[in-house]
Amino acid sequence: MSIKEITLEKFNVTDFIEEKAKEIAALVGDGVAINALSGGVDSSAVTMLGHKALGERLKTYFIDNGIMREGEPQRIAALFKSLGVQIEIIDAQDEFFNALKGVIDPEEKREAITQAFYKDVFGKLVKESGAKHLLQGTILTDVDETVAGIKRQHNVFEQLGIDPQKAFGYKIIEPLIQLRKDGVRKLAASLGLPESAYNRMPFPGPALAARVIGEVTKKKVSIVRKATVVVEEELASTGAFQYMAILHQDRVTGMRDGKRDFGLQIELRCWDSIDARKATPTELPYDVLYKLADRIVDEVPGVVSVTYNITKKPPSTIEAI
Ligand code: XMP
């Protein structure tokens, strides 16, 4: 089944909200539905849309998988509370780190996260809540890349011939599937989300695990999380589409306090893009790059090398995994 794209030029956001709210209400009937909020623009928009359609009958969870950015669960729960939407934070760190143990291959990592999320964590929540439907913010770009075999996006099933009802025991509703990122931002703004949410840069479903090359461990995630804080602080004013830090697996020889230090490498990426299908590295000034490198080697333990990626997408992709 091919999905009919709604381009930004043809997007009537008011009609879309009315139509999708009706569709969701009709599908869920008098039952309950659940959704997971990650704090990204897609899941934030779906949360607002779902609450418009179902009110209290939509139960929203924030799954703390241990691979999110610094302070994220609390920040997102507070934002939604201020918008009148209650979020329950679920501590699922052990499930995710256990699933990622010993996994090195990028696609296997994505699959491990998908299974931990949809089967272990959500399977349990669905059973407890009695929900028959899961609402999620899959967008057209997620489907395109998964179907093309470039990356298994964590949230794509039916287009891969996977029936979520059979695989996980619940149905998935995807109201944003015809949109791309630019359309979702417009929708999120119309649904009353603040600019900090609707203009927030994209963040991948596999979270910081998409930014650790090799096995994902708590220690490595804590390193890449610290580097991410620096990158997000230093590059916020660039207005770039997306920026990130990646922790490499290989070590390189550096020196610290006059002694050899066989240390860690962080790669930085900063992208200009409209909808993530193509992207160009932002031409960052050298003083910005130097400041990033200085702060990262000072603030992130063990790092002796910081590089900046200058490859376009394609052939690069935005995330490293
Ligand atoms: P790539 O790395 O494929 O990323 O060039 C394109 C855009 O998608 C985001 N991304 C994901 N988003 N689930 C998502 O919801 C995923 O599994 C996923 N992987 C990548 C990425 O951050 C970029 O904005």
Side-chain angles (χ1 to χ4, degrees), residues 35 46-56 58 60 85-86:
N35 82 311
V46 162
T47 301
M48 295 304 282
L49 191 60
H51 277 270
K52 193 175 160 59
L54 303 172
E56 299 279 290
L58 177 66
T60 300
V85 176
Q86 282 301 328

Side-chain angles (χ1 to χ4, degrees), residues 188-208:
S190 291
L191 286 165
L193 284 156
E195 207 205 328
S196 60
Y198 71 73
N199 257 346
R200 201 169 191 207
M201 73 170 158
F203 189 69
L208 297 175

Side-chain angles (χ1 to χ4, degrees), residues 22 56 75 84 91 141 161-162 185 213 226 235 269 314:
K22 265 193 213 147
E56 299 279 290
R75 180 169 43 242
D91 181 355
T141 319
I162 301 167
R185 291 197 199 286
I213 315 282
K226 285 196 175 86
L235 298 181
R269 296 183 178 193

